Amino acid sequence: MTCYVIDGTIDGLLTAVFDAFALHDQPDRLLMQGETVPLFCDHLYQVTTDDEKARRVWAGLEKRLPHEVMRMISVSWLSELPELPTPLFLYICKVFRQGDISRYFADPDVQAVTNIARKVAHEELRMKQFIRFQKAKDGTYLAVVSPDHDVLPLIITHFADRFNDQSWLIYDAKRHYGFYYDGHQTIRITFEDEVAVPFSLSDGKLDGNLLSSDDQLMQDLWRTYFKAICIKERMNPRKQLKDMPRRYWKYMTEKQ
């Protein structure tokens, strides 16, 4: 068994594709740096990420694949799932040998990458539905999230378009970064010391002394409305959990 080790970036995976063709090699599995090497791996190759090699592979894909398939590949990578690198690597190699195989759903690699991309797209949709903002006294709106997949890059344009006259911050507590919109442009931010941030990473609540009094009133009204429209006789907990999984509740006003 031949294994390639990459640094965990998409450029590392694309470099692995370049090296495999240059070496006339066909690895059986891609491993992330630090991942346990399989028992039957008899050849281990360390991939050194090269931006130029990655760029050339990506440009080659753009010539062979339609835009929506290129986006699917990008979206699948945001899953961060450990089972993705190997089928994605094999998928890309097959594209260079056979052309656009995106509709060959009998192929296990096409099926795996497509299904993972769908999971990320579903998470993207749920984030757009379930994000709840809080208004600070300075007028900035804050939302804390912790999605299963790294979907912030996919939803930022949606919120920049929808709230383009307001300043806001959406922060991913799981991945320790966020996007701040100042009314004109979106900036990726991180905090050197998360202990000092004015909001809770566990439930997303803004410090009480920084919360706008108007927003506190709106939160209370929203909770009251949510309870008022709930018809006990028609409650279906199983359906509710399917539509609104419990993992989102800790950041949702109506569930706090």
Side-chain angles (χ1 to χ4, degrees), residues 110-239:
V110 173
Q111 192 177 79
V113 174
T114 302
N115 288 341
I116 288 174
R118 285 173 179 166
K119 290 180 181 179
V120 180
H122 193 48
E123 182 91 318
E124 173 191 359
L125 176 61
R126 280 178 163 169
M127 280 292 99
K128 291 176 182 177
Q129 295 172 331
F130 298 149
I131 277 183
R132 300 291 184 263
F133 285 99
Q134 302 165 80
K135 185 180 180 181
K137 288 181 178 179
D138 67 355
T140 301
Y141 288 83
L142 166 73
V144 180
V145 296
S146 185
D148 285 350
H149 310 297
D150 186 17
V151 296
L152 247 59
L154 302 177
I155 66 173
I156 293 306
T157 300
H158 167 81
F159 287 100
D161 289 341
R162 188 172 182 180
F163 305 114
N164 57 14
D165 60 343
Q166 303 164 350
S167 59
W168 46 260
L169 167 64
I170 301 177
Y171 192 76
D172 188 334
K174 184 177 180 179
R175 295 166 185 84
H176 311 288
Y177 83 97
F179 285 96
Y180 173 71
Y181 180 74
D182 62 3
H184 302 284
Q185 61 179 338
T186 307
I187 306 167
R188 189 182 192 277
I189 67 166
T190 57
F191 294 106
E192 291 185 4
D193 182 12
E194 285 190 337
V195 176
V197 298
F199 54 85
S200 168
L201 297 180
S202 61
D203 60 15
K205 289 184 178 179
L206 190 65
D207 285 356
N209 60 332
L210 297 178
L211 185 68
S212 165
S213 57
D214 291 343
D215 194 81
Q216 183 61 65
L217 174 62
M218 290 302 297
Q219 287 188 32
D220 293 340
L221 289 173
W222 176 244
R223 292 189 189 97
T224 301
Y225 170 76
F226 184 78
K227 292 178 181 178
I229 64 171
C230 180
I231 303 174
K232 292 182 179 180
E233 291 76 14
R234 295 185 180 179
M235 285 188 65
N236 188 337
R238 182 178 297 179
K239 179 72 164 57

Side-chain angles (χ1 to χ4, degrees), residues 9-11 13-14 17 54 57-80 84-85 87-96 99-102 109-110 112-118 120-121 154:
T9 65
I10 184 64
D11 282 349
L13 184 142
L14 296 173
V17 173
V57 172
W58 192 256
L61 288 173
E62 289 180 321
K63 293 178 181 178
R64 293 166 172 82
L65 297 173
H67 173 75
E68 60 270 19
V69 180
M70 293 297 296
R71 186 179 189 277
M72 182 198 69
I73 290 174
S74 299
V75 167
S76 71
W77 187 256
L78 295 176
S79 70
E80 301 178 325
L84 174 69
L88 181 57
F89 169 84
L90 295 173
Y91 184 118
I92 293 173
C93 288
K94 290 173 184 176
V95 168
F96 282 104
D100 183 4
I101 61 169
S102 59
D109 299 315
V110 173
V113 174
T114 302
N115 288 341
I116 288 174
R118 285 173 179 166
V120 180
L154 302 177

Side-chain angles (χ1 to χ4, degrees), residues 18-30:
F18 186 98
D19 288 354
F21 278 92
L23 297 170
H24 303 287
D25 196 9
Q26 182 59 61
D28 302 288
R29 183 170 172 182
L30 252 63

